[in-house]
Structure formats: structure tokens, C-alpha cells
Amino acid sequence: MRPPYLHPCAMAAIAVCVLSASARAVSVLAVTVLAVSILAAGPAQAAAPSIDASIEPSQIALGESANLTILTSGNGTLSINLPVVAGLEFRVVGQSRQIQMTNGITIESTSTIIRVTPEVAGVFTIPGVTPKSPPLVLRVNPGGAGPSSSPNSSSAPDRLPFVPGPNAKGLRMTPDGSAFVHLEIPKHEMFVGETVPVEIQVGMRDGFVASLNGLPKLNNDDFTLNNLSRQPERTAKAIDGKMFTVYTWRSLLGAVKPGTFSLTFETPLTVRIRTRPRQDSMLDDLLGDPFLQNIFGTTVQKDITATSPETAMTVLPLPTEGRPPDFGGAVGSFKISTEVSSAKTTAGDPLTLRMHVTGAGNFDRVDSRMLNGDDQWKTYEPKASFNSPDPTGRRGEKIFEQPIIASQPGTHTIPPLKFSYFDPSTRRYETAHSAPLTVAVSPAAASAGNEPPPTPTATGTPADEAHTGLRPDHAITDARVDSLIPLYYQPRFLAVPSALALLLCGAWAALRRMERNARGERERVRSELLSNLLKTMSQASARGDAAQFVNSASAALRQTLGARWQIAPDLVTAVDVDARLEAGERDDIRQIFALADEANYSGGDLQAADFDRWTQIVRRQLADEAVS
């Protein structure tokens, strides 16, 4: 049995006590207490080594993963070999070690987490990690049949995929080793106007970075960063044995002018910095776990900027030789095809001619004038739309639609369309052509108004029309009327305007009633909302919640001022407050708005007197509105 003063943990604690003799009194006291507690534990008993294994969940769907946890405890050394099961992949994703002392007995435990990923569906038996350990059973259902509580399903977004990374080669860590920014780019030579897909990775060491304070920023005005993904991908990555959470943004990098440049990216972060000297913080490193390090090692938060290593880029100009006249600046690889809405039509009826441009490149420079008008076709200005399954917009399809009208009947041919672009892979201009289209155009149907009048003949001509001289200037009709008084003067017609006037008055009265009811309902809802906001302010004031208090006060003031000025509450701004209110009242309300904005981003702290003061200001504004 090993004496307690020769135990590794005790010796490490004593060594740290010696090294930290010049540290602050509090730190020396903490280390000394730890060393004394180990030495005073009495004769330590060596616990027999043991091992236990479990798998969670035991039933998953194909495409998901389960976690195999192996827990070893005791002072002995147990070697763990990964199981080998056909159809299952095993990968170590994490490991942690703990030291516990109970009644003078020191117990070391190690927890190893292994990700189990099935390749096929079925029931798998995982042998025990020791000859005496019972086997474990994992049931893998076909895709979509697993339980929704799987740790790697979409319902558990906090479980990050693990990507192994043995070392930090190629990464520029911050001086304290807590973060890095890295640029992944497929090539270092490009043409002006070309878009190159890039990945910006921001790694933050678990437990050492407090917050990410902004998006990655490009430090070069000679390039543009287009379509940066809104939500980054999160992965867990081990670098030099330390766990990092890596955020990955995808974007398109474009060059503005030719030349040789250096690219760097930077990201603002807030990290935790140790306040003790390095020689006095060796205990923090022995503790290992970031949470314990932050407890025993005093830290403060500090804003820093992490910068990526410089990436050399060469930008080439587009060649002038062989440039087509219709080249509009599209750079990439494209194909085109055309179609018409109908292969049969009638002269004068419109058709829709569509051109599809598919491929990869800078689609914002993809343009076409489509078909030009001629004797056979009358054309109009085309319209374009873009569809892309790629979040960055580098790959997709741009569709041009152009209305066209056939001028004459017959069988007409829509000539082939063309599109010119520069292909950076071949380093030359290319022109894509579409196939011609044939449309059958039938004559337009003759209308009665376009037919010439029938030629009168002697046979069947009415007797009253068989005369010579001028024809009458009015139509001959057999209709007769009893009175020459106009219709609008006759008594039976006078009832029509009277009925219309009554209907108009009734409609006006109904609209007025509906408007009053709607106004009353709005006032009731607003009054109820203001009452709830005042209640929320009172509750927040009672428990000292400054953020909720100032947000509720700001909302109540915006509701009140919006109703007073006849504008939407969301549109009430500081400019309106400055223009419409007097100095004292204006300053108080502007300060409440500023406190609300500050609480949304950085929190806030108010005293009891502040809660009472701002409550009185809000109630005074509500009272002024009630009087007005």
C-alpha cells in the first residue's frame, strides 16, 4: 500500500504549494488546504479496478448514432480495446478523468465515450469489454423508424458532431490558446469577376471563450464576401487533446481588381484571462477540466480579436483576346436550353419563350437579351428569376422568360439563342447555343365586324328600299311610344333615385357603426395591454429584474405615444420624441428607450429608487393620454 504522502495527487499539490509561494494569499490558502486534506486523509486504501459499459439509446434508426460509455474505476490500469462488430463503426469522441476520496480511499475513474454508427439495419450484439462483462444489444431500425429521442436526431441540436483533429498545425491560435480563425479556400489563383467558395472557421476552446461578438470580417477591400451563410455549422473538434467548438461559415469570395494580395479574417471574441502569474497557476493545469480551472484559477473577461493566418491570392485579369461582343461578365461553367410555352398558336396570340442557364459561377452577371424582334416575331423585354439549392448561390439555374407574338400565320422557327461566358478552367471564352424551336401559327378567326356588308340584289329587295335618291338618316323601326316625356321625368322613374339615396344613407350609417365598434375594440385591447405592461413592470420591480422592467416600460410608452400621435407603436423613434415632446419629458423617455436597448444586449442594473422613478414617469404619460 502506498503512503498518502507519496500519492501522485498529493505530491503534485505539495509541489504547487511550493511554486505558488509568491501568489496571492487566497490562492496559497486554497492550495494549502487541498494539500493538507490529502495528507490528513489517513492511510489510503487501493481500490480494486472495475469496469462498466452502457449504450444509450439501445434502439436507433439507420443514419443515427448511439453512445457507448465505458467507465473504469480503481487505481489499477485497465486497457480498453474498441469492440469489433460487423456492420458497426466505433470511434472515440471524448474522455474525462476524475479523482474522488471517500473515507480515506482514493478512487480514480475514467469515462470514455465511443460513438457507434451503424452501416446497415439489424440487431447487433456488442461483446463485453472484459470476459466477465455482459454483452450489449443495439437495435437499428430502417431509416425514419427510430425513436425521436435519439441523441443525434434533429430534435437534439445541442449534440454536436465530432471531427477529430490531432494537432494545431496550420492554425493561428490566440496568445492564450483559447481560439483561432481559419480560412479554407480551394485555390489561390482566380480571375477578376470569378467567385470562389470559401469556408471561414472560428474555433473556441470549451470553457475559455465567453462569447462570440460578431461575424467573421474580411480585412481586404480588394475582395468581396458574398452570400455569407446566416447560421454557421457547429462541430466539436479535439486539437492537441483540447476540445474546441468550431463554427463554420460558407461564402463566395470575389476579386475586384487584378494583382497579388494577402487575405486575413478576424472575429471579435470575449475570453477568460487568468489574473495570476503562470508559475502560480500550475494547479489550474493539473485540474484539467475548464470548469475547475475557472473556479480555482481566478479569471477576468477580456475582449480580443482572433485573426487568421495570411493567405496569398493571385488575381488575373480577364483576357481581351477572343472576347465575344455579347459577353456580359459571366465567369464560370454554364449550359443553356430553351423551350416555348406551346408549339401551336394563333396569329396575334402571345407565347412565352424561356431560356434556362444552369451551372456554377457568378449568376449575378448572367444576363441575356433573348430574341430580337423581326418580321415574324414581335418581342418584349424579358424577365429573369434565379433558383439555387446552394446557400451561397454559386450553383443553380437562372430562367429568362420573354413574351413573343407571331405576326403572320404559317410554320415559323424560333432561331437558336446563345450565351457567352468566360470559363476559368479552360482560361478562354465559351459560347453556349440552344436548339431552334418550331411553332405552327394558324390564322386568326375572322370577326363579323371585319366582314364586308352583303351586296343587295334585285330579288328580295324590300319595296321601301327600292327607291332612288338619298337614304334616310335614321333607322326604320316599327316601335311606338305613348308619350314624348323623357324617362327620367316620368313618375315611375322618380322612385329609383330615392331608393338609391336610402341605400347610400344606410350604408354610411353601417360603416360609421362598424368604425365606432372597431375603435372601441382597439381601445379595449390597448387598455388591456397597458394594464398588463404595468403589472409586468410591478412584478419585475419587485424581483429586481431590470431588463424586463425597462422593456415593459419602453413598450408601454410606445403604445401611449403611438396612440397620441396616430402612428404604429413600433414606428415611434427617438426622432419623433425629440420633435414632439418638451425638454424634460423628452429626456426621460429617451433615457427609458436607451435603457431598454442596453438591457437587450448587455443587461442592466437598477436601484429600487430607479424602479419607482421610471414607474411614476410611465404612469404620468398614461394619465396625460387619458386627460387628452
Side-chain angles (χ1 to χ4, degrees), residues 22 77 99-100 162 201 231 247 268 291 336 342 376 413 429 476 504 567 572 617:
S22 61
T77 301
I99 300 176
Q100 297 180 350
F162 179 81
Q201 299 175 357
Q231 294 296 332
Y247 293 84
F291 176 75
I336 69 170
S342 177
Q376 294 183 348
T413 299
Y429 294 96
I476 300 177
L504 181 61
I567 60 176
V572 176
I617 292 174

Side-chain angles (χ1 to χ4, degrees), residues 289-356:
D289 186 80
F291 176 75
L292 296 177
Q293 291 181 7
N294 290 331
I295 291 179
F296 288 97
T298 306
T299 62
V300 295
Q301 291 190 357
K302 180 180 179 181
D303 293 335
I304 66 170
T305 299
T307 307
S308 67
E310 293 185 354
T311 301
M313 291 294 299
T314 301
V315 182
L316 304 176
L318 292 176
T320 57
E321 182 180 358
R323 179 179 297 181
D326 61 335
F327 175 70
V331 179
S333 178
F334 304 97
K335 295 181 179 179
I336 69 170
S337 62
T338 56
E339 64 180 6
V340 68
S341 58
S342 177
K344 296 181 180 180
T345 186
T346 302
D349 291 346
L351 296 174
T352 300
L353 176 64
R354 297 184 181 90
M355 182 175 75
H356 301 260

